[in-house]
Amino acid sequence: MKFKQDKKTVFLDPHTQLTLSDEKLDIILSPSLYWVKKVSLPLKHARDAKKLLVSLFEDLLPEGSYSYSVYKQGEQFMIFAYEDKNILELLASQGILLSNVSSIHFAQSELDTIKGAIKINDTQSIYVKEGIVTLVPCCWIEESGDLDIADIKLSKHTLTLQQFGHIVDNKSLISIGVILSVFILLTWIELFILNKHIQTIEQESAEVFSKYHLKPTMFQNKALLKKYTKIHTNQTKMREEFSKALKIKDIKKISYKENRLKVSS
C-alpha cells in the first residue's frame, strides 16, 4: 500500500533560511527571483503571447540567460522573466532536491490578494500595488503581519525550471544551430558531389568493360590478367632465347612468305 506523501508550501527567498524535512514542496518564489509586468495585448490566448515575451522585456532585464512565462488575468496578461540558474542555486543552498519539488509558483499568482504589507524576512516586505506583488524594504511601509502561506490554495499557474538551459544562452543556441545547419548543408553538398563522382566512375567502368569485352566480375578479370601475363612472360622469354640463337648462327634475316620460311646470313 502506498501512502500519500505530505506536501508543504514554502516561500523561497534569498534572505530566508528554510527549515525542512523530507517532504514534497510547493514553492512560491519571492518577487526578488523574477521580473513581472502587466500588459495589454491584442491577443486572445497566453500561448499567442509567448513569442512576444523576449521583446517585451528587452529594455528591462540586465545581462543574463532568461526563461519566460505568461498567463492571462482578465483582459490583461501577466508576463514573467526569470533566471533558472539563480533559482536552482538557491534551491541547492537550501538543501532542496528537485525530486522533492512538487510545483513552483510566482508570488504574483499566489499572493496578489493579500491586504496590507506582509513581512517576508528581517529587511523586506511584500505588498500589492496596482495589482503587482511588490518587494520593498520594511522601513518603507507599515506592516500588517508576518507571511503565513500554510493555508493558501495554490493556483494552476506554475513554471518549470530548465536544469541545463542556463549553461548556454538563447543567442548562443541560435548561433550553434546556424553553424550546425551550415555544417549539415556542406556535408550534404559534399555527399551529393561524391555520389555524382561515383556514378561517373561506374559509368566509365561499364564502358571499359563493354569495350574490351571484360568479364562481369573482378575475380574473373584478375584470373584473365594472370593468364595473359603468364603467356606474355613466356613469349617474351622465348623471343629473347630465339634472338640469342640467331646471333650465334650469324643469321641476319628471317622472312616468311607464301608459307615458306627463308633464312639468310
Side-chain angles (χ1 to χ4, degrees):
M1 179 181 294
K2 293 185 178 179
F3 294 94
K4 185 177 180 181
Q5 190 173 2
D6 292 336
K7 287 206 299 184
K8 180 180 180 180
T9 301
V10 297
F11 188 85
L12 186 66
D13 180 78
H15 302 291
T16 305
Q17 183 62 44
L18 299 174
T19 302
L20 304 169
S21 57
D22 187 23
E23 64 241 297
K24 285 289 186 179
L25 300 174
D26 290 314
I27 294 175
I28 298 176
L29 298 180
S30 167
S32 63
L33 295 173
Y34 62 84
W35 284 259
V36 59
K37 293 174 71 175
K38 182 188 290 188
V39 296
S40 296
L41 298 171
L43 302 170
K44 289 185 177 181
H45 306 289
R47 63 176 179 270
D48 300 324
K50 286 184 177 180
K51 64 184 70 175
L52 304 175
L53 297 183
V54 176
S55 59
L56 290 172
F57 278 104
E58 189 172 13
D59 298 328
L60 176 64
L61 302 178
E63 190 68 26
S65 178
Y66 294 93
S67 293
Y68 301 89
S69 183
V70 58
Y71 64 84
K72 193 171 184 181
Q73 183 174 289
E75 295 302 316
Q76 294 182 303
F77 293 88
M78 303 303 301
I79 62 174
F80 301 85
Y82 56 94
E83 290 189 275
D84 301 85
K85 179 181 178 181
N86 292 345
I87 301 172
L88 289 167
E89 289 177 349
L90 183 55
L91 289 171
S93 70
Q94 296 276 5
I96 300 173
L97 301 175
L98 282 180
S99 58
N100 282 343
V101 176
S102 178
S103 64
I104 303 177
H105 306 255
F106 298 109
Q108 177 62 43
S109 61
E110 312 311 312
L111 305 176
D112 61 342
T113 58
I114 62 173
K115 304 299 182 182
I118 303 295
K119 185 177 180 180
I120 61 170
N121 57 50
D122 292 338
T123 60
Q124 295 173 311
S125 298
I126 57 172
Y127 81 110
V128 180
K129 181 180 180 180
E130 297 179 357
I132 300 294
V133 178
T134 306
L135 188 67
V136 296
C138 291
C139 60
W140 283 20
I141 192 167
E142 184 178 350
E143 298 164 1
S144 60
D146 293 331
L147 181 64
D148 183 7
I149 57 176
D151 297 324
I152 288 180
K153 185 178 180 180
L154 296 172
S155 73
K156 64 180 180 179
H157 305 304
T158 62
L159 63 139
T160 301
L161 297 177
Q162 299 181 36
Q163 296 186 57
F164 307 105
H166 62 275
I167 297 175
V168 183
D169 59 32
N170 291 335
K171 291 183 179 179
S172 298
L173 286 175
I174 293 173
S175 298
I176 292 172
V178 170
I179 292 172
L180 288 175
S181 298
V182 172
F183 177 77
I184 292 171
L185 178 61
L186 292 176
T187 302
W188 185 86
I189 292 173
E190 185 176 357
L191 289 174
F192 178 78
I193 294 173
L194 180 61
N195 186 56
K196 285 294 184 182
H197 284 320
I198 292 173
Q199 291 179 0
T200 300
I201 292 172
E202 289 178 344
Q203 183 178 352
E204 292 176 350
S205 296
E207 291 174 355
V208 170
F209 273 61
S210 176
K211 180 178 179 179
Y212 295 100
H213 306 290
L214 298 177
K215 299 294 182 181
T217 67
M218 290 301 296
F219 179 80
Q220 291 173 306
N221 288 314
K222 285 181 178 179
L224 283 176
L225 177 63
K226 184 177 181 180
K227 173 183 176 181
Y228 288 113
T229 298
K230 184 176 181 180
I231 293 173
H232 173 73
T233 301
N234 290 338
Q235 289 182 344
T236 300
K237 186 175 181 181
M238 184 182 299
R239 286 196 297 270
E240 290 175 351
E241 295 296 329
F242 191 59
S243 177
K244 290 179 182 178
L246 292 177
K247 289 180 179 179
I248 293 173
K249 298 295 185 178
D250 197 27
I251 296 175
K252 298 292 181 68
K253 183 178 181 182
I254 297 177
S255 61
Y256 181 80
K257 188 177 182 180
E258 296 180 354
N259 296 327
R260 297 181 62 185
L261 181 66
K262 183 177 180 182
V263 180
S264 59
S265 55

